[in-house]
Amino acid sequence: MKISMSKDIKYKFIVMVVAFIISLVFLVLSIINLSSFIIEKTADYQQVEATINKYEEVENASFSYYNLYYEYVAADGTTYTGLWTDRIANFDYVQSKIGSTIIIYVDNNLQKQRMDLDIRNDLLYVFPPLMLGFLAIFVEALLTVLKAFKNKGQKSAIIEERVDKANN
């Protein structure tokens, strides 16, 4: 018995597949994001002093500005570098900051660094609801497709039964 799909059912089937794939993507993103957040939250950050050691001039067609960078060398020789602040217009200010120290936070075991201990992850409030929303669309489309196939099968059985009765 061959079951053909109507246009509406084909559309629902496509919606179901796409919604399932998108919900899987959001599930993976949620897991990655959550694991990264847990690592950040459980890290043993120690407060250290880093030195502002260089600047970079960024030139555009109509203006230029400076970025300041820091460096910290841990006792084990690991070097931590990063951008301290950017888009500074005053070159005298930039020069005055070279050699000064700033506070950063370092976890030598994980070799991670941060400028502050404000560890937030707003994406944890975005990915799971999106995943659940697309999962709901998937389930609704799946139920519609299954119901259509079930009804199609029942209609075919009724037609076959009528044909059998007519032939007898």
Side-chain angles (χ1 to χ4, degrees):
M1 171 175 81
K2 182 181 177 189
I3 298 177
S4 63
M5 291 195 288
S6 69
K7 276 189 169 186
D8 191 40
I9 298 304
K10 286 179 184 177
Y11 169 75
K12 283 288 189 177
F13 184 76
I14 291 169
V15 167
M16 178 184 69
V17 170
V18 170
F20 182 71
I21 290 170
I22 291 173
S23 65
L24 280 180
V25 167
F26 281 122
L27 174 66
V28 169
L29 289 173
S30 297
I31 292 169
I32 291 169
N33 206 275
L34 181 61
S35 65
S36 174
F37 179 72
I38 290 170
I39 289 170
E40 287 289 327
K41 272 303 220 191
T42 59
D44 183 28
Y45 287 108
Q46 303 298 316
Q47 180 177 319
V48 296
E49 287 188 353
T51 305
I52 297 175
N53 65 338
K54 69 179 182 177
Y55 67 89
E56 170 190 42
E57 182 177 10
V58 179
E59 295 184 46
N60 286 334
S62 59
F63 63 94
S64 67
Y65 58 87
Y66 302 91
N67 297 332
L68 283 171
Y69 296 89
Y70 66 86
E71 179 179 83
Y72 168 72
V73 180
D76 65 358
T78 304
T79 301
Y80 299 93
T81 60
L83 176 68
W84 178 59
T85 189
D86 62 348
R87 299 182 184 226
I88 304 167
N90 186 338
F91 183 69
D92 292 334
Y93 175 78
V94 169
Q95 283 185 320
S96 72
K97 287 296 181 184
I98 298 296
S100 61
T101 59
I102 59 167
I103 299 295
I104 65 168
Y105 300 89
V106 173
D107 182 332
N108 283 320
N109 294 332
L110 297 175
Q111 295 188 343
K112 293 183 136 308
Q113 63 185 345
R114 297 187 60 85
M115 294 292 296
D116 58 41
L117 292 178
D118 182 24
I119 301 169
R120 295 184 359 216
N121 195 340
D122 297 335
L123 293 177
L124 286 177
Y125 301 112
V126 174
F127 289 149
L130 286 173
M131 178 198 63
L132 292 174
F134 280 103
L135 200 56
I137 293 169
F138 164 75
V139 169
E140 188 274 332
L142 176 65
L143 293 175
T144 303
V145 169
L146 291 175
K147 182 179 175 185
F149 279 130
K150 181 180 177 188
N151 289 343
K152 192 79 145 179
Q154 288 174 348
K155 287 178 185 174
S156 296
I158 291 170
I159 291 171
E160 287 175 11
E161 184 179 313
R162 287 182 182 165
V163 168
D164 287 343
K165 283 183 181 180
N167 287 337
N168 290 335

